Amino acid sequence: QVQLVESGGGLVQAGGSRRLSCAGSGRTFSSYHMGWFRQAPGKEREFVAAITWSGGSVYYASSVKGRFTISRDNAKNTVFLQMNSLKPEDTAVYYCAAHSLGTNLTNSREYDSWGQGTQVTVSS
């Protein structure tokens, strides 16, 4: 497993931007596909974005496509989530995770290492 720590959350106005970071430990970080998920109060955790180990392929939930961008820097063991045009409905705790088995990067059950989460609050 890999240890993950998210940062960059906070309060932002609707229409604003925020960049989340997820720092991973261990020399194997670059071998993991990585994902971002979020969980709003009273709702289930949902897929946001994912990126393959090389960064060659990315995937987005339809609700964030065109507004969010996932990227990674394997030399720094870090994955990023750039969030633009934020909406109040983007308010949630955002988690990064390392994908461990299977082929569906949108499925949270295929991830076995999770960060502690970072809160993003979008005010209207």
Side-chain angles (χ1 to χ4, degrees):
Q1 291 188 339
V2 60
Q3 307 299 316
L4 302 170
V5 178
E6 302 97 336
S7 61
L11 177 64
V12 60
Q13 288 189 333
S17 298
R18 202 80 182 180
R19 189 193 198 200
L20 304 183
S21 298
C22 173
S25 64
R27 293 180 295 174
T28 61
F29 177 86
S30 61
S31 67
Y32 287 91
H33 304 325
M34 297 294 296
W36 285 96
F37 293 78
R38 67 185 181 186
Q39 188 167 18
K43 295 187 177 182
E44 293 186 355
R45 189 170 298 187
E46 65 174 359
F47 169 76
V48 175
I51 187 167
T52 54
W53 69 271
S54 66
S57 295
V58 295
Y59 307 89
Y60 296 99
S62 57
S63 58
V64 307
K65 197 168 186 179
R67 299 188 298 123
F68 290 12
T69 301
I70 188 171
S71 62
R72 67 189 300 162
D73 183 343
N74 285 338
K76 297 182 178 180
N77 281 7
T78 304
V79 62
F80 304 98
L81 186 67
Q82 177 66 42
M83 305 184 295
N84 298 330
S85 303
L86 283 162
K87 305 175 182 179
E89 51 264 44
D90 294 318
T91 295
V93 177
Y94 284 73
Y95 300 89
C96 71
H99 187 259
S100 61
L101 75 164
T103 59
N104 183 357
L105 297 188
T106 70
N107 185 354
S108 63
R109 290 189 293 271
E110 294 190 6
Y111 292 77
D112 70 349
S113 298
W114 293 82
Q116 83 289 350
T118 186
Q119 175 72 47
V120 174
T121 303
V122 184
S123 63
S124 58

